[in-house]
Amino acid sequence: MSEYFAAADLSGLPPEGLAVVGFSGGADSMALAHWLLGKLPRERLVLAHVNHLLRGEEAERDQAAAQAFAQKLGVRFALLREDVGALAREKGLGLEECGRQVRYAFFHSLVKGENDRVLTAHNAQDNAETVLLHLARGTGLSGLCGIPPRRGKVLRPFLSVRREEIEAYCRERNLPFVTDSTNLTGDFSRNLLRRQVFPVLEGLNPRFVESVLRAAELLSRDRDCLEELSRQLLERARLPWGLEGKLLLDAGESLGLRALGTYLREAGCRDLERRHLESCWQLLVSGGALSLPGGVAAQCRQGVFYAWKPAPARPFSVEVSLGETALPGGQVLVLVKKTGKSGEEAPKIHNSFFKNALDCAIITGRLRSGSVLAARTRQPGDRFCPVGQREERSLKHLFQQARVPAPCRDRAVVLTLDGRIAWCQGLGASREFAPRETESCLLPKVREGDGNFENG
């Protein structure tokens, strides 16, 4: 027997844990399951079958065949029966998209261990079809990169294996795969590509599929490079509140829009489309505000771009101590002691440190004397002199000077000692409580409850 699947890739599969195969019973999944059995212990394999209840007796036949094959191999079989037609109508989704969501939700429910993985049998033609479909719909660079060989716990070892090789493998080993009758009609877009478009393109270039995959691989490298550059841009543009708009504009739309997209998703924005990003880009240019999917609002004022989920700010005042203190509204105040001794606690001497650090000796000395350290929201008449300033000013004036977005000001945490402002989130420490030396300091931080970010 000849050697098959030299192009298959199992590099992402851990040496232990479950290998859950998305198992329709068709040639691709049948070949994958049988091939894996020669490489993995039988107890690691799980064949996971979804009956979408769309094809009547044929669907029942496929389920029975899949279960019988699992029993013949002596491996575990997992079954989900789901009325995808009814669910698609309920959710307002197409059948293909709804079926995909159902399948992957089921597969992921089976891989609870850290080393468990889902393996699907997508092949080279599937990958090329995906690229063409995305191209027909007007995709960007990511869509032209095709199906990722790995996404989270999902592995696709056959992405570079042609369908003809898979079917030859099944014939040579007499594997009883089933054929979905919908694959023989033009009812779905992929079937139109397989039956009408691919024969024409392969007539022009017999190695058309390989050419598409090579192009997708090259574009994937370009995408990865751009994503890394945009990540670096995003980190440079981050402010205590929001992003420095000028840095994004100067970087240009290609990187700037990518950085904006990452930031907006961090803020809770879902189902972002190109038009949403372009509207946000316009905010960077001319200022203003808009609403985005997921209940997220965005604005650009004084060159600062900020996105948030609007919620009424509720005033609070709570006594705090060194370490971590939970605050109303889901935030956590962290007061970290930094010392000048060698070792992990040695402070990093940079502008952010000097701006935010408090004198540990002053704070702890007063606490021992009965002083009260409290965290609260701003109050009318609040004034203090931050490090780097020469005189006291109102919080309103300081917020404007520091370009803190208006929605953030009522949420900003103010740290007081016996009523005197020692530190304010986004503005830094008061000169009155600034360290006289760096050997022993307190470094306040506010962590959001979801752990997404911190700011000083």
Side-chain angles (χ1 to χ4, degrees):
M1 291 185 180
S2 58
E3 178 66 26
Y4 279 100
F5 309 146
D9 180 13
L10 281 177
S11 59
L13 187 65
E16 55 186 21
L18 295 179
V20 176
V21 178
F23 191 70
S24 67
D28 298 341
S29 60
M30 185 71 71
L32 176 60
H34 188 271
W35 180 71
L36 285 171
L37 192 59
K39 297 182 174 297
L40 302 176
R42 197 177 305 270
E43 58 270 17
R44 289 186 63 187
L45 278 180
V46 179
L47 305 190
H49 181 83
V50 178
N51 186 336
H52 301 87
L53 302 180
L54 291 174
R55 295 177 289 115
E57 291 184 5
E58 186 178 282
E60 299 300 323
R61 176 210 68 187
D62 292 353
Q63 176 185 319
Q67 190 163 7
F69 185 75
Q71 291 175 346
K72 180 179 179 180
L73 293 183
V75 299
R76 290 170 55 188
F77 182 75
L79 172 67
L80 174 68
R81 295 172 61 87
E82 181 73 56
D83 189 341
V84 170
L87 188 62
R89 290 189 295 272
E90 178 185 328
K91 292 187 172 184
L93 296 173
L95 286 177
E96 288 181 281
E97 174 59 20
C98 186
R100 187 191 69 82
Q101 290 184 11
V102 166
R103 287 193 299 277
Y104 279 98
F106 177 51
F107 298 157
H108 279 98
S109 72
L110 300 172
V111 288
K112 298 178 181 178
E114 181 180 351
N115 292 317
D116 296 346
R117 295 293 183 269
V118 173
L119 282 73
T120 70
H122 292 92
N123 59 47
Q125 277 92 333
D126 293 327
N127 205 355
E129 289 164 8
T130 297
V131 172
L132 289 185
L133 284 173
H134 287 166
L135 181 62
R137 294 164 182 166
T139 187
L141 177 58
S142 293
L144 294 177
C145 294
I147 303 172
R150 178 175 184 174
R151 178 178 287 162
K153 286 192 168 187
V154 178
L155 307 179
R156 300 179 174 95
F158 277 7
L159 269 188
S160 296
V161 178
R162 289 187 63 95
R163 183 175 292 126
E164 295 86 350
E165 186 180 3
I166 291 171
E167 292 177 351
Y169 179 93
C170 290
R171 287 194 300 270
E172 186 171 307
R173 286 155 177 77
N174 295 316
L175 301 181
F177 63 87
V178 299
T179 301
D180 183 343
S181 64
T182 60
N183 289 332
L184 305 178
T185 70
D187 292 344
F188 297 98
S189 51
R190 285 188 180 272
N191 295 335
L192 289 172
L193 283 177
R194 292 170 188 171
R195 292 175 58 79
Q196 299 181 30
V197 177
F198 266 62
V200 174
L201 293 173
E202 290 180 325
L204 296 173
N205 177 7
R207 297 188 62 80
F208 169 74
V209 170
E210 287 78 6
S211 297
V212 172
L213 298 187
R214 185 167 61 253
E217 181 181 356
L218 294 173
L219 291 171
S220 294
R221 296 176 188 174
D222 292 343
R223 177 202 58 198
D224 293 345
C225 178
L226 287 170
E227 287 182 352
E228 174 59 23
L229 291 173
S230 72
R231 185 195 63 77
Q232 295 174 12
L233 171 63
L234 179 61
E235 294 311 308
R236 291 197 305 273
R238 286 191 191 275
L239 298 170
W241 307 96
L243 303 177
E244 180 64 75
K246 186 176 185 304
L247 286 178
L248 298 179
L249 289 172
D250 289 347
E253 287 191 38
S254 181
L255 290 179
L257 289 178
R258 282 178 167 81
L260 271 179
T262 300
Y263 173 74
L264 291 171
R265 283 185 285 272
E266 289 175 356
C269 197
R270 298 293 180 265
D271 301 320
L272 270 177
E273 298 178 10
R274 178 78 182 188
R275 59 189 177 91
H276 299 129
L277 292 174
E278 290 175 347
S279 295
C280 289
W281 189 259
Q282 189 57 42
L283 288 189
L284 295 178
V285 174
S286 57
L290 55 80
S291 297
L292 294 167
V296 173
Q299 70 167 39
C300 190
R301 300 277 193 275
Q302 296 180 281
V304 176
F305 182 90
Y306 177 60
W308 77 105
K309 285 193 173 184
R314 297 182 179 179
F316 67 84
S317 179
V318 295
E319 189 171 338
V320 299
S321 57
L322 301 188
E324 295 192 359
T325 303
L327 303 178
Q331 295 178 309
V332 177
L333 175 67
V334 184
L335 287 174
V336 181
K337 183 178 180 180
K338 298 288 185 178
T339 68
K341 300 176 182 178
S342 61
E344 295 183 357
E345 292 188 78
K348 296 179 181 179
I349 307 303
H350 51 62
N351 289 339
S352 177
F353 175 83
F354 282 121
K355 177 182 176 181
N356 287 285
L358 298 170
D359 193 301
C360 186
I362 293 176
I363 302 295
T364 56
R366 293 198 186 180
L367 289 177
R368 284 194 295 268
S369 299
S371 293
V372 176
L373 190 64
R376 61 172 174 80
T377 48
R378 66 172 176 167
Q379 297 175 356
D382 274 344
R383 301 174 64 87
F384 84 116
C385 180
V387 171
Q389 301 275 350
R390 294 185 176 181
E391 58 185 25
E392 280 193 356
R393 296 183 184 275
S394 68
L395 278 191
K396 179 179 180 180
H397 178 91
L398 293 169
F399 279 143
Q400 291 173 341
Q401 187 181 55
R403 300 184 300 158
V404 176
C408 302
R409 298 174 188 177
D410 288 334
R411 293 184 67 242
V413 176
V414 178
L415 187 65
T416 66
L417 187 65
D418 289 335
R420 295 285 293 172
I421 294 179
W423 174 86
C424 180
Q425 185 183 11
L427 299 178
S430 166
R431 286 183 61 183
E432 179 181 352
F433 297 96
R436 305 298 184 263
E437 54 188 22
T438 60
E439 288 187 3
S440 184
C441 306
L442 287 177
L443 193 62
K445 287 180 178 287
V446 177
R447 188 178 72 239
E448 296 295 323
D450 58 12
N452 282 345
F453 62 89
E454 295 181 356
N455 50 47

